[in-house]
């Protein structure tokens, strides 16, 4: 296919289409960058005069601020507890990633390599759990985490919830990947006298690096981006995570678009960087299992 | 050999069943006792407070010039009763603290005085009590507590009761608050019956069967098993009966003792109230009914007569406790017998063997499964249970059985066909109706998934070219919407769609159009959702398609070209079929995710205008967290789940059928 395109259709046309799509894709992000660096709280890139000309209108669309200023960033960092919230998010997301990857890898390995009663039922139940509406779980989750486990307003409450919620998707993905790793590798290791634990940690996990990276990425994103459960479980302002805190800027009373934009960028940068870093694994990690099947 | 194995299993069953049910039963009995103690403590505080409130009533009802602050009165009351540690009398009119022996109050100034701003809590409690009394009187059905009690950390109890004046006997004039150290003596529940129930039946059975096996030789192991089972079940029932009755009788006796102590306490209060009335020359006569021993709604309990005798009612009241505890014991017994049968007939052994044989697999799945059970499946089950109740914000404390609504919520949701609303201005769609929201949700899902798959596939085809320049750059930029937190992008798009300042309206104006108020009409509002979600979701599909495309070997195209297939035929007969195994699971997942895509609708359009663009999941959220109708919202969510489940089953059936055709 690839050679085909190159042979028959003009690469310029392809580039035109791709550039158009890419421009549309990144425009909203450029817009938020513009607002963030404008130093103003308004969501207009440029204010229009009384009778705007075509150029005035064009100026209001082009995503580049009239004056470049860091005022919004400084305000976000200094005025609110923003750094505390970022720190909270970092703790929650990191521990969610560690716990989520551990839980998913062990379970996925068992589902991929062992035959045992309840295997099919377990996998099916994971799949069905993706259909559970979040709204159905929220009131019971609150009761369990806050009243029974006594983990309200703590990081551990959030970490446990996030890492569990990410399990089903990660297990399915990892199982698909583990299935593609030839079983002969393990069999020869067993011949050499290696135990299951050794095989799991020394052979399987390194081989499954792409899928595990993707699992880690998704677990991290689950912990870093979620705000509904976080606002449900966290009562004190100093325990908020960054997404919950960000909602302050676009609250019901005032919309501080400039601060919100600056805050969004600070919040997004770590996860975007991580995403870009993991990108090379994304394709193979996500689709290895299903391609084979 | 087989005889002794059966005997061993039954003995183990007796032990485990006995142990589990004994611990559970003990836990229930202890809970019942603790409940009774708490109730008795509150009653003690209430009697003391109500009696004093009557004296305050008499004192405050005096003619204006004779009226003195009840400071002396509370001093007298505290001297007469050792269990009363501190008293506070407040009057709502004028926000006055009439008398107090609380240290905090005395530090702020000697009563009688006006309450300070920092003592707002004291005033608020009075307001609450007055409001509760009013509500209960108006509704004629007591619902709000008129006696407020609170257990304090130091083992004391704080009880507040309203007091009234002769001028206005229905409106609470203020309240009397007492801090009491209740004198009820409690004792621990005996623990030995637990050990007896756990050990004795198993021991008796074991010894008995050892002796019997010496004396009698039974040929068939089958008959040995059945006779052993029958004997052991009978033995178990006998021991369970003894266990349950021991605690029931014990608790009954304990209850009578509590009542007797309360009766003495009541008589003492009565005597001192009479003496107090005489000492302070109050126009007060004790009545010939016991109006002080009341429940939280200030309704007399009628367990103790005015002269301190116990009524028959005491027994009946105990019966309700006993009935509940009896039910709990019955449940424990069923569990015990269930366990016994499970062990005795070898179920447990088989179960154990499975666990042992596959222990490696189970150990590996255990952590994830535990988490899923506690934090996903259990909340799900609990949520379904909630959907059969009428739970709202205001009755969360009530047990679920008390607010059981059966299928009412479901009938209200599914049985409501009022799709058209006729008003004076004409007719319109009823956007609150379930079927409208379902229609919007289905339209939303279908359009979004189609857009996602189409754009994703097109871009993947374009990018799947080894010699394309800047390929990594394009891919990196195109994937950005997926990488950005979606609540951030949703809010960005809300800004882009802003009517006055949003770049989208500027662009329209640039080409001479009129600015659009995007969230004011059903269609444009729907369009905003589609745009945002399309933008958010195509990168996932693109990545999936790229993965699928990379796995197709170029030989197939080579061969097709030799056969003279044109590009469309190659796409139709090679690319699409090879992509299917990758795409179908991704489409199913994406349908489920889009169906429940909360953030976009909630943050961008908020379901505007008038809730017409709400999808099922945002509607369920608003029902729970804006209307606080937890039960109804749970039913709504359950319907969502059922729709998705039916879709999932249907989709797998269809794709399987397609596979077998191919």
């Amino acid at each position: 296919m690839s050679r085909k395109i190159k042979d028959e259709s003009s690469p310029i046309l392809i580039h035109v289409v791709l550039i158009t799509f890419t421009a549309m894709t990144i425009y909203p992000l450029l817009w938020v960058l513009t607002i963030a660096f404008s130093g103003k709280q308004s969501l207009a890139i440029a204010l229009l005069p009384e009778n705007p000309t075509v150029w005035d209108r064009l100026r209001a669309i082009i995503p580049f601020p009239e004056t470049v200023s860091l005022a919004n960033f400084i305000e976000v960092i200094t005025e609110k507890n923003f750094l505390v919230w970022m720190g909270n998010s970092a703790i929650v997301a990191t521990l969610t990633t560690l716990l989520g990857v551990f839980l998913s890898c062990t379970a996925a390995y068992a589902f991929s390599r062992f035959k045992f009663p309840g295997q099919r039922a377990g996998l099916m139940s994971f799949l069905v759990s993706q259909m559970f509406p979040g709204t159905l779980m929220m009131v019971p989750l609150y009761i369990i985490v806050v009243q029974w486990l006594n983990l309200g307003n703590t990081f551990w409450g959030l970490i446990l919830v996030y890492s569990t919620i990410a399990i089903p998707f990660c297990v399915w993905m990892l199982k698909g990947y583990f299935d593609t790793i030839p079983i002969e590798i393990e069999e020869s290791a067993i011949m050499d006298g290696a135990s299951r634990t050794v095989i799991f940690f020394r052979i399987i996990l390194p081989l499954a690096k792409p899928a595990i990276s993707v699992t880690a990425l998704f677990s991290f994103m689950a912990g870093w981006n979620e705000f509904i459960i976080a606002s449900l479980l966290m009562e004190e302002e100093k325990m908020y995570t960054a997404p919950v805190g960000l909602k302050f800027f676009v609250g019901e009373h005032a919309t501080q678009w400039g601060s919100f934009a600056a805050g969004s960028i600070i919040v997004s940068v770590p996860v975007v960087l991580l995403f870009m870093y993991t990108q090379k694994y994304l394709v193979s990690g996500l689709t290895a299992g299903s391609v084979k099947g | 050999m087989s005889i002794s194995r059966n005997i061993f299993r039954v003995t183990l069953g007796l032990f485990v069943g006995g142990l589990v049910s004994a611990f559970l039963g003990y836990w229930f009995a202890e809970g019942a006792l603790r409940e009774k103690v708490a109730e008795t403590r509150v009653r003690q505080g209430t009697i003391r407070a109500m009696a004093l409130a009557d004296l305050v009533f008499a004192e405050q009802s005096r003619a204006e010039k004779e009226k003195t602050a009840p400071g002396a009165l509370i001093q007298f009351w505290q001297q007469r009763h050792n269990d009363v540690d501190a008293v506070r009398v407040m009057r709502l009119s004028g926000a006055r603290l009439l008398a107090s022996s609380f240290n905090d109050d005395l530090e702020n100034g000697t009563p009688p005085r006006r309450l300070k701003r920092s003592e707002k809590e004291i005033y608020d409690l009075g307001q609450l009590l007055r409001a509760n009394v009013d509500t209960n009187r108006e509704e004629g059905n007591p619902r709000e507590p008129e006696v407020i009690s609170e257990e304090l950390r130091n083992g004391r109890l704080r009880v507040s009761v309203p007091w009234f004046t002769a001028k206005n006997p229905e409106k609470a004039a203020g309240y009397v608050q007492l801090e009491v150290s209740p004198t009820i003596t409690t004792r621990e529940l005996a623990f030995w019956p637990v050990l007896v129930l756990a050990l004795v039946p198993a021991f008796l059975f074991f010894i008995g069967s050892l002796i019997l096996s010496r004396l009698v030789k039974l040929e068939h192991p089958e008959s040995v098993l059945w006779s052993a089972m029958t004997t052991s079940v009978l033995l178990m029932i006998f021991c369970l009966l003894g266990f349950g009755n021991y605690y029931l009788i014990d608790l009954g006796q304990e209850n009578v003792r509590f009542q007797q102590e309360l009766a003495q306490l009541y008589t003492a209060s009565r005597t001192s109230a009479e003496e107090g009335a005489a000492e302070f020359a109050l126009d007060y006569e004790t009545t010939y009914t016991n109006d002080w021993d009341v429940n939280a709604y200030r309704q007399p309990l009628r367990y103790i007569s005015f002269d301190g005798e116990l009524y028959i009612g005491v027994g009946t009241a105990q019966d309700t406790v006993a009935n509940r505890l009896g039910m709990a014991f019955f449940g424990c017994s069923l569990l015990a017998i269930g366990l016994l049968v499970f062990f005795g007939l070898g179920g447990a052994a088989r179960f154990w063997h499975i666990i042992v044989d596959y222990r490696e697999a189970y150990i590996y799945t255990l952590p994830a499964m535990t988490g899923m059970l506690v934090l996903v499946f259990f909340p799900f089950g609990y949520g379904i249970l909630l959907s059969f109740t009428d739970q709202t914000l205001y009755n969360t404390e009530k047990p679920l059985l008390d607010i059981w609504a059966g299928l009412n919520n479901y009938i209200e949701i599914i049985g409501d066909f009022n799709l058209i609303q006729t008003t004076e201005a004409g007719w319109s769609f009823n956007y609150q109706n379930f079927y409208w929201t379902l229609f919007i949700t289905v339209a939303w899902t279908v359009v979004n998934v189609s857009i996602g798959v189409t754009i994703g596939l097109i871009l993947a085809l374009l990018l799947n070219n080894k010699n394309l320049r800047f390929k990594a750059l394009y891919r990196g930029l195109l994937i950005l919407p997926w990488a950005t937190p979606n609540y951030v992008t949703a809010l960005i798009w809300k800004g882009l769609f802003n009517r006055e300042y949003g770049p989208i309206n500027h662009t329209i104006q640039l080409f001479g159009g009129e600015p659009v108020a995007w969230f004011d009409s059903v269609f444009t509002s729907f369009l905003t959702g589609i745009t945002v979600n399309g933008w958010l979701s195509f990168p996932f599909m693109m990545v999936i398609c790229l993965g699928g495309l990379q796995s197709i070997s170029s030989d197939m195209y080579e061969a097709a070209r030799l056969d003279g297939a044109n590009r469309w035929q190659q796409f139709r007969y090679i690319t699409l079929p090879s992509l299917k195994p990758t795409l179908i699971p991704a489409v199913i997942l994406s349908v489920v995710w889009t169906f429940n895509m909360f953030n976009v609708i909630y943050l961008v359009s908020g379901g505007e205008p008038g809730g017409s663009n709400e999808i099922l999941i945002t509607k369920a959220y608003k029902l729970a967290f804006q209307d606080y109708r937890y039960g109804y919202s749970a039913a709504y969510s359950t319907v969502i789940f059922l729709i998705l489940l039916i879709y999932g089953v249907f989709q797998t059936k269809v794709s399987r059928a397609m596979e077998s055709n191919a």
Side-chain angles (χ1 to χ4, degrees):
Chain A
M1 183 79 193
S2 47
R3 223 160 291 149
K4 233 21 232 172
I5 289 174
K6 191 196 137 210
D7 290 344
E8 287 180 14
S9 57
S10 77
I12 294 178
L13 193 67
I14 294 179
H15 280 290
V16 169
V17 176
L18 279 175
I19 287 171
T20 319
F21 265 114
T22 313
M24 282 180 357
T25 305
I26 60 173
Y27 182 81
L29 303 172
L30 292 177
W31 180 80
V32 78
L33 277 172
T34 310
I35 303 291
F37 283 102
S38 72
K40 285 177 287 194
Q41 292 295 352
S42 154
L43 58 73
I45 297 173
L47 285 175
L48 293 183
E50 196 78 0
N51 289 308
T53 61
V54 173
W55 291 115
D56 288 331
R57 291 204 184 280
L58 206 57
R59 182 68 200 87
I61 301 171
I62 293 171
F64 195 81
E66 287 182 307
T67 48
V68 178
S69 144
L70 285 175
N72 284 333
F73 288 93
I74 294 167
E75 193 192 313
V76 165
I77 289 174
T78 51
E79 281 196 7
K80 290 259 165 51
N81 284 330
F82 201 73
L83 289 180
V84 178
W85 298 334
M86 287 289 286
N88 293 349
S89 267
I91 296 172
V92 170
T94 313
L95 289 175
T96 300
T97 312
L98 291 177
L99 188 61
V101 168
F102 171 73
L103 293 176
S104 313
C105 283
T106 46
Y109 182 69
F111 281 121
S112 166
R113 283 297 188 262
F114 300 112
K115 283 253 167 291
F116 55 94
Q119 185 181 25
R120 240 183 86 80
L123 272 175
M124 280 319 279
S125 74
F126 280 9
L127 200 63
V128 170
S129 77
Q130 288 291 290
M131 297 174 181
F132 294 175
T135 45
L136 186 59
M137 330 274 286
M138 261 182 265
V139 174
L141 253 187
Y142 181 84
I143 294 174
I144 291 169
V145 175
V146 176
Q147 296 178 0
W148 296 359
L149 298 179
N150 215 356
L151 287 174
N153 208 22
T154 61
F155 291 143
W156 278 111
L158 274 189
I159 292 164
L160 286 178
V161 173
Y162 290 158
S163 48
T164 331
I165 284 176
I167 286 179
F169 181 74
C170 295
V171 164
W172 267 92
M173 197 177 61
L174 281 168
K175 180 197 173 285
Y177 201 92
F178 288 156
D179 284 346
T180 63
I181 300 174
I183 196 140
E184 289 79 14
I185 301 179
E186 278 169 74
E187 278 164 359
S188 62
I190 290 177
M191 287 296 165
D192 295 342
S195 72
R196 273 283 175 201
T197 330
V198 170
I199 293 173
F200 179 64
F201 282 105
R202 293 279 171 79
I203 299 176
I204 295 296
L205 290 190
L207 280 176
K209 201 175 159 199
I212 291 170
S213 310
V214 176
T215 309
L217 175 69
F218 286 167
S219 302
F220 185 85
M221 280 171 75
W224 188 263
N225 292 347
E226 206 283 337
F227 68 94
I228 296 171
I229 297 174
S231 54
L232 194 71
L233 296 184
M234 295 309 204
E235 283 155 15
E236 275 176 70
E237 209 177 300
K238 72 171 178 24
M239 295 298 284
Y240 281 176
T241 54
V244 182
L246 255 193
K247 290 269 287 173
F248 269 122
F249 300 118
V250 276
E252 284 172 10
H253 307 296
T255 308
Q256 299 161 282
W257 281 100
S259 307
F260 165 73
S264 314
I265 287 169
I266 301 176
V267 172
S268 308
V269 162
V271 63
V272 169
L273 288 181
L274 203 65
F275 207 98
M276 290 299 144
Y277 177 73
T278 325
Q279 215 210 120
K280 57 176 183 276
Y281 300 124
L282 210 54
V283 174
S284 58
L286 265 179
T287 51
S290 52
V291 170
K292 186 208 165 213
Chain B
M1 187 61 209
S2 97
I3 295 176
S4 65
R5 188 159 72 201
N6 280 333
I7 298 301
F8 172 71
R9 279 178 185 165
V10 174
T11 312
L12 193 65
L14 278 170
F15 174 67
V16 174
L19 192 71
V20 170
S21 62
F23 268 104
L24 266 179
Y26 180 77
W27 185 66
F28 282 123
E30 216 204 357
L33 178 65
R34 221 179 309 129
E35 214 172 280
K36 203 77 211 170
V37 169
E39 185 195 309
T40 312
R41 283 165 64 91
V42 170
R43 272 172 71 193
Q44 172 169 6
T46 310
I47 291 172
R48 295 284 198 231
M50 289 293 287
L52 182 58
D54 270 359
L55 289 180
V56 171
F57 162 82
E59 197 268 345
Q60 289 290 306
S61 304
R62 280 200 286 211
E64 199 60 42
K65 56 179 189 282
E66 292 172 40
K67 207 190 279 186
T68 52
L73 199 58
I74 68 165
Q75 211 179 355
F76 164 79
W77 197 249
Q78 248 178 292
Q79 273 168 5
R80 292 298 300 258
H81 304 294
N82 286 333
D83 54 337
V84 179
D85 296 317
V87 184
R88 176 186 283 153
V89 181
M90 77 82 65
R91 192 181 72 192
L92 276 164
S93 115
R96 286 185 75 78
L97 186 66
L98 295 181
S100 175
S101 54
F102 279 83
N103 284 334
D104 293 353
D105 294 349
L106 296 175
E107 275 168 25
N108 280 331
T110 335
R113 61 175 171 82
R114 207 184 147 75
L115 283 170
K116 297 215 164 97
R117 189 162 284 280
S118 59
E119 297 169 321
K120 192 169 176 301
E121 271 180 35
I122 298 178
Y123 183 74
D124 286 348
L125 182 62
Q127 289 280 38
L128 177 71
L129 276 171
R130 175 182 274 184
N132 287 357
V133 170
D134 288 349
T135 318
N136 289 349
R137 193 188 56 244
E138 277 158 22
E139 293 181 358
N141 175 29
R143 172 164 81 79
E144 306 281 0
E146 295 180 22
V147 174
I148 293 183
S149 56
E150 186 191 355
E151 286 282 353
L152 302 176
R153 290 245 167 87
N154 51 14
R156 289 182 186 173
L157 183 79
R158 187 175 283 185
V159 183
S160 317
V161 298
W163 59 269
F164 301 81
T165 54
K167 229 185 287 168
N168 200 346
E170 291 203 314
K171 201 155 190 76
Y175 65 87
V176 174
Q177 188 173 59
L178 258 62
E179 226 172 78
V180 188
S181 314
T183 48
I184 298 294
T185 48
T186 54
R187 60 175 175 80
E188 291 290 312
L189 221 48
F191 190 72
W192 61 263
V194 174
L195 297 177
V196 168
L197 184 59
L199 298 175
V200 168
F203 183 71
L204 281 182
F205 178 80
F206 191 64
I207 298 293
S209 34
L210 273 189
I211 296 169
L212 267 180
S213 67
R214 287 282 153 80
L215 297 178
V216 195
K217 287 268 181 266
L218 278 169
E219 288 304 313
H220 301 288
E222 275 292 290
S223 57
V224 173
L225 178 61
W226 285 111
S227 54
M229 279 312 292
T230 323
T231 335
S232 62
V233 167
L234 287 176
L235 191 62
M236 192 77 192
I237 290 176
F238 180 74
C239 290
L240 282 166
L241 281 175
F243 175 81
N245 275 309
Y246 172 80
Y247 280 124
L248 282 176
I249 292 169
D250 193 40
L251 284 176
Q253 285 171 346
E254 195 74 346
N255 179 47
V256 171
R257 188 169 65 81
F258 289 163
Q259 305 294 340
Q260 283 164 346
E261 282 187 30
L262 279 176
Q264 281 172 14
L265 206 112
Y266 170 75
T267 320
S269 296
R270 200 176 157 92
T271 320
S272 49
E274 275 163 6
E275 287 172 14
E279 191 175 329
F280 293 96
L282 298 174
D283 179 19
Y284 169 71
E285 266 183 51
T286 44
T287 51
Y288 290 103
T289 48
N290 174 359
D291 295 331
W292 294 340
D293 190 15
V294 293
N295 64 12
Y297 309 112
R298 278 197 319 122
Q299 293 168 318
L301 285 168
R302 306 279 180 234
Y303 295 153
I304 300 165
S305 75
F306 71 92
D307 49 2
E309 295 290 321
L310 296 190
Y311 279 126
I312 308 292
V314 174
T316 355
Q318 180 56 23
D319 280 350
T320 54
V321 178
N323 276 345
R324 236 172 44 203
L325 193 59
M327 288 286 279
F329 281 152
F330 184 67
C332 292
S333 309
L334 285 186
L335 182 71
I337 290 168
L339 280 171
L340 172 59
V341 172
F342 183 59
F343 273 84
L345 294 184
R350 269 195 296 278
F351 191 70
W352 178 246
H353 275 297
I354 288 178
I355 298 268
V356 171
D357 285 352
Y358 300 96
R359 62 185 174 281
E360 248 180 342
Y362 288 122
I363 287 170
Y364 273 94
T365 46
L366 190 69
M369 271 300 177
T370 316
M372 290 290 289
L373 275 182
V374 177
L375 293 171
V376 175
F377 293 113
F378 184 79
F380 175 72
Y382 194 94
I384 294 207
L385 207 63
L386 273 188
S387 74
F388 294 106
T389 69
D390 251 345
Q391 197 178 65
T392 61
L393 179 66
Y394 308 106
N395 59 13
T396 38
E397 279 95 49
K398 287 192 183 168
L400 293 185
L401 276 180
D402 288 3
I403 44 175
W404 197 254
L407 285 171
N408 281 357
N409 288 329
Y410 292 95
I411 292 168
E412 202 179 321
I413 294 166
I414 300 177
D416 176 15
F417 292 102
N418 281 328
L419 265 172
I420 308 289
Q421 251 174 352
T422 32
T423 51
E424 289 150 24
W427 66 274
S428 62
F429 274 113
N430 174 15
Y431 296 138
Q432 308 309 318
N433 187 283
F434 168 75
Y435 290 100
W436 170 266
T437 315
L438 179 64
F439 164 72
I440 284 287
T441 314
V442 171
W444 155 263
T445 311
V446 171
V447 174
N448 270 318
V449 174
S450 318
I451 289 181
V453 172
T454 316
I455 298 184
L457 187 57
I458 290 175
L459 290 174
L461 287 171
L462 293 177
L463 283 175
N464 189 37
N465 183 337
K466 288 207 180 66
N467 300 325
L468 187 74
R469 275 199 190 177
F470 310 123
K471 190 172 132 185
L473 179 69
Y474 284 130
R475 205 176 61 181
L477 289 176
L478 285 171
I479 230 166
L480 275 174
W482 189 5
T484 331
N486 60 14
Y487 65 93
V488 167
T489 44
L491 286 167
I492 293 175
W493 277 96
K494 197 183 167 73
L496 292 179
F497 279 114
N498 187 286
R499 189 175 183 282
E500 256 177 284
Y501 305 110
I504 292 175
N505 272 348
H506 280 313
T507 315
I508 292 175
Q509 281 169 298
L510 185 67
F511 292 105
E514 282 297 307
V516 179
W518 291 98
F519 303 115
D520 282 3
S521 92
V522 181
F523 180 69
T524 52
S525 183
F526 186 71
L527 218 57
T528 59
I530 298 293
T531 316
V532 178
N533 202 54
W535 184 83
L536 270 176
S537 57
F538 81 83
F540 172 71
M541 280 299 172
M542 185 181 83
V543 168
I544 295 284
C545 291
L546 269 176
L549 287 176
Q550 280 171 6
S551 68
I552 307 175
S553 88
S554 51
D555 300 351
M556 299 215 326
Y557 294 106
E558 215 73 63
R561 231 171 331 162
L562 287 178
D563 288 346
N566 63 25
R567 296 198 51 198
W568 167 251
Q569 283 169 328
Q570 288 176 29
F571 176 73
R572 175 70 188 80
Y573 296 105
I574 299 176
T575 317
L576 271 190
S578 319
L579 274 181
K580 222 174 66 186
T582 332
L583 262 182
I584 284 180
V587 166
I588 296 180
L589 260 185
S590 147
V591 164
V592 172
W593 285 344
T594 315
F595 205 88
N596 283 342
M597 173 48 91
F598 176 82
N599 284 359
V600 170
I601 293 285
Y602 183 73
L603 294 174
V604 178
S605 70
E608 290 297 307
S612 58
N613 265 295
E614 213 83 73
I615 59 171
L616 291 170
I617 191 93
T618 57
K619 181 90 181 187
Y621 180 83
K622 285 190 178 166
L623 284 171
F625 295 100
Q626 283 179 12
D627 302 350
Y628 301 113
R629 298 176 69 185
Y630 298 145
Y632 188 72
S633 163
Y636 219 89
S637 309
T638 310
V639 173
I640 300 178
F641 169 69
L642 289 177
I643 294 172
L644 283 174
L645 191 67
I646 291 167
Y647 162 77
V649 171
F650 178 74
Q651 173 83 57
T652 19
K653 281 244 169 75
V654 167
S655 47
R656 247 187 230 144
M658 271 161 55
E659 261 167 44
S660 58
N661 279 348

